[in-house]
């Protein structure tokens, strides 16, 4: 393994220093370090160093929809976005509801070698919401699953949700809920509100999300289990989570970059690239989500990277699948909405995009501090760079980014996974 002397980056945007990386760990931190013989040098003056980002919510589409994404292409997009670990959602075909499927995804991740791919196991067999999947076998498998989710669908049955919460306690797992009361969202196309009324589209009411979150925090509190709430999108959800946390409930939550930036007014374009579940909400919701993330009510930014093939996305709004790409733009959108807006500093960004998601997923060697002896999984970001999003340049197999043509701040220059660069000079190495 080669050593790297990374000269002059600012860890967490603080004082510049040098980092010596050797044998997969940060061997030394300090100014004016000299490079050992044979070490590579990387001039990182002016760059911000953060621990490698950890995504709690990534759709990699393999097995089953390799035309939209594969473990390898999604891993490459992740590395380019500054990630060193991602949680691969279970709504594949076949569904990741057995030890066999999660081990397959985990192995494909290892073979790609770009990020640590941590499979999420389904909560219910086939995502059908009727009986529990083999949670224990997935936890015991080589993939060591700790996060379970039917994401894309809600575990709507309260008794089944309670049983899942109780079950995962045995192995310190967490149930990640896609909070959407299906009876309230039948036929929904966008956020229920003034814009939907104007466009004549059926809406997802905020209450459909909030009702499930309220129910589930009560359940999690009652049985003493860990609950994680996926892609929180409304001001009311933030208020419920804030209340639950004051009660000591073991609940964590995530918000996506797109819910921190984009509003439902974009539906007026009828461009299905803006169709997503949960839907884009209002400016008031965005303000509450940013504040909730800043005060720790929301623990993490998670991408909900949802690649879709052209024929599933470039069709009329009603027929298009919900979901948008996120891995390659997440950090830039976080910088735009949180750092440049003054809501958070770089250390808080590292906390919400690396430290806390790693803890929620129980990843022992991710989300660690940039100090001596810790794994050298880190990202170097140019905070002054601005770049224009070009869907054709994406490493993803899909093109459904809502930021096409937009200028975004901050660019990932290099990503290291346990001491080895996966991205260098803004380009993937594998
Ligand atoms: O927009 C979404 N897309 N929301 C989900 O919950 C699922 C995801 C997908 O799998 O495409
Ligand atoms: Zn979801």
């Amino acid at each position: 393994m080669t050593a790297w002397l990374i000269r002059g980056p600012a860890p967490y945007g603080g004082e510049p220093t040098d980092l010596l990386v050797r044998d997969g760990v940060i061997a030394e931190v300090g100014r004016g370090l000299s490079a050992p013989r044979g070490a590579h040098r990387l001039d990182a003056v002016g760059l911000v160093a953060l621990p490698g980002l950890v995504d709690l919510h990534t759709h990699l589409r393999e097995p089953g929809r390799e035309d939209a994404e594969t473990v390898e292409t999604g891993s490459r997009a992740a590395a380019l976005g500054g990630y060193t670990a991602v949680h691969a959602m279970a709504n594949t075909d076949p569904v990741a509801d057995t030890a066999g499927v999660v081990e397959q995804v985990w192995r494909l991740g290892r073979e790609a070698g770009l990020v640590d791919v941590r499979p999420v196991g389904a909560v219910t067999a086939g995502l059908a919401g009727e009986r529990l999947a083999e949670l224990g076998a997935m936890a015991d498998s080589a993939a060591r699953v700790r996060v379970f989710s039917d994401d894309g669908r809600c575990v709507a049955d309260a008794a089944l949700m309670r049983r899942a919460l109780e079950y995962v306690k045995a192995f310190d797992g967490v149930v990640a809920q896609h909070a959407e009361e299906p009876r309230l969202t039948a036929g929904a196309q966008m956020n229920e509100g003034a814009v939907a009324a104007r466009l004549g589209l059926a809406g997802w009411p905020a209450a459909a999300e909030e009702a499930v979150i309220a129910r589930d925090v009560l359940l999690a509190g009652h049985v003493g289990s860990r609950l994680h709430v996926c892609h929180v999108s409304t001001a009311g959800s933030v208020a419920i989570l804030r209340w639950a946390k004051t009660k000591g409930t073991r609940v964590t939550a995530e918000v996506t970059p797109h819910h921190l930036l984009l509003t439902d007014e974009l539906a007026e374009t009828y461009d299905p690239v803006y169709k997503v579940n949960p839907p884009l909400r209002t400016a008031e919701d965005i303000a509450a989500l940013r504040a909730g993330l800043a005060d720790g009510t929301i623990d993490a930014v998670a991408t909900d990277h949802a690649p879709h093939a052209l024929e599933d996305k470039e069709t009329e709004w009603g027929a298009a699948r919900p979901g948008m790409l996120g891995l390659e733009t997440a950090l830039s959108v976080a910088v735009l909405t949180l750092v440049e807006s003054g809501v958070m500093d770089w250390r808080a960004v590292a906390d919400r995009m690396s430290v806390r998601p790693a803890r929620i997923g129980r990843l022992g060697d991710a989300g660690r501090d940039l100090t001596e002896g810790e794994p050298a999984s880190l990202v170097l970001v140019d905070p002054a760079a601005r770049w224009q999003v070009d869907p054709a340049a994406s490493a993803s197999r899909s093109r459904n980014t809502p930021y096409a043509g937009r200028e975004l701040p901050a660019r990932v220059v290099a990503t290291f996974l346990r001491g080895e660069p996966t991205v260098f000079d803004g380009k993937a190495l594998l």
Side-chain angles (χ1 to χ4, degrees):
M1 226 180 210
T2 33
W4 282 87
L5 179 64
I6 303 173
R7 292 202 41 234
Y12 311 100
E15 286 300 304
T17 185
D18 300 340
L19 304 172
L20 178 64
V21 167
R22 195 167 47 205
D23 298 327
V25 300
I26 299 172
E28 278 181 68
V29 181
R31 280 167 187 249
L33 298 183
S34 49
R37 258 165 48 122
H40 292 295
R41 288 158 175 276
L42 198 170
D43 177 10
V45 172
L47 306 186
V48 171
L50 303 176
L53 307 183
V54 176
D55 195 16
L56 280 168
H57 195 141
T58 316
H59 295 276
L60 292 178
R61 304 292 188 224
E62 190 174 6
R65 285 307 301 263
E66 292 84 351
D67 57 325
E69 197 77 290
T70 65
V71 172
E72 187 190 330
T73 58
S75 292
R76 192 169 295 118
L80 286 163
Y83 288 88
T84 53
V86 300
H87 289 77
M89 273 299 167
N91 63 340
T92 49
D93 183 14
V95 170
D97 58 0
T98 63
V101 177
V102 294
E103 285 190 349
Q104 180 195 356
V105 172
W106 175 74
R107 246 181 237 112
L108 288 166
R110 267 214 324 196
E111 280 161 22
L114 285 149
V115 291
D116 289 334
V117 174
R118 296 297 308 257
V120 173
V123 177
T124 69
L127 307 178
E130 281 160 15
R131 60 185 174 83
L132 292 185
E134 48 179 62
L135 310 181
M138 290 190 275
D140 288 343
S141 75
R144 303 195 56 75
V145 175
R146 289 295 175 272
V147 181
F148 297 87
S149 183
D150 275 5
D151 180 64
R153 300 207 192 150
C154 182
V155 180
D157 182 317
L160 203 55
M161 184 63 185
R162 173 191 176 150
R163 250 184 290 140
L165 286 165
E166 287 175 324
Y167 200 118
V168 301
K169 253 168 108 173
F171 35 84
D172 196 24
V174 60
V175 179
Q177 176 70 292
H178 170 116
E180 175 186 358
E181 168 48 53
R183 298 275 294 146
L184 293 173
T185 58
Q189 294 293 338
M190 63 172 297
N191 177 48
E192 184 173 304
V195 182
R198 201 152 63 230
L199 299 179
L201 290 173
W204 261 273
E209 174 174 312
E210 293 155 7
V212 173
I213 297 176
R215 182 199 78 178
D216 286 354
V217 295
L218 294 173
L219 283 175
H222 181 58
V223 300
S225 301
R226 283 210 291 144
L227 167 71
H228 178 74
V229 184
C230 295
H231 42 52
V232 169
S233 70
T234 77
S237 297
V238 177
I240 294 164
L241 289 163
R242 194 173 281 126
W243 171 82
K245 287 195 170 189
T246 65
K247 298 268 167 202
T249 307
R250 301 171 76 199
V251 59
T252 55
E254 68 188 35
V255 60
T256 71
H258 47 273
H259 288 112
L260 290 171
L261 179 63
L262 308 177
T263 69
D264 63 351
E265 288 175 3
L266 287 163
E268 286 172 348
T269 64
Y270 285 109
D271 184 342
V273 80
Y274 301 116
K275 183 173 175 181
V276 64
N277 178 4
L280 302 176
R281 305 282 189 183
T282 67
E284 293 76 59
D285 293 308
I286 287 177
L289 292 165
R290 291 183 184 183
L293 190 66
D295 74 15
T297 301
I298 298 174
D299 301 80
V301 175
T303 66
D304 196 4
H305 177 81
H308 285 297
L310 279 188
E311 69 267 24
D312 292 325
K313 207 57 189 169
E314 293 195 1
T315 169
E316 77 268 29
W317 183 283
R321 300 256 175 101
M324 35 182 75
L325 301 185
L327 288 168
E328 289 169 86
T329 48
L331 183 58
S332 290
V333 174
V335 169
L336 176 69
T337 58
L338 304 170
V339 180
E340 295 194 346
S341 70
V343 178
M344 277 166 50
D345 60 14
W346 283 97
R347 188 168 283 272
V349 169
D351 184 68
R352 308 299 195 275
M353 297 187 79
S354 176
V355 178
R356 290 217 224 180
R359 263 190 226 142
I360 292 165
R362 296 295 190 249
L363 303 186
D365 74 343
R368 305 292 292 257
D369 214 356
L370 295 175
T371 52
E372 285 171 21
E374 295 291 353
S377 295
L378 55 94
V379 52
L380 300 168
V381 193
D382 182 352
R386 301 193 81 86
W387 59 292
Q388 205 178 30
V389 180
D390 172 11
S394 174
S396 169
R397 237 181 217 181
S398 294
R399 295 288 171 259
N400 53 307
T401 173
Y403 309 113
R406 249 194 214 246
E407 193 180 87
L408 293 177
R411 196 87 228 240
V412 171
V413 174
T415 310
F416 283 77
L417 176 63
R418 285 182 289 277
E420 293 291 340
T422 54
V423 170
F424 194 80
D425 226 354
K427 292 180 190 67
L429 293 182
L430 294 171

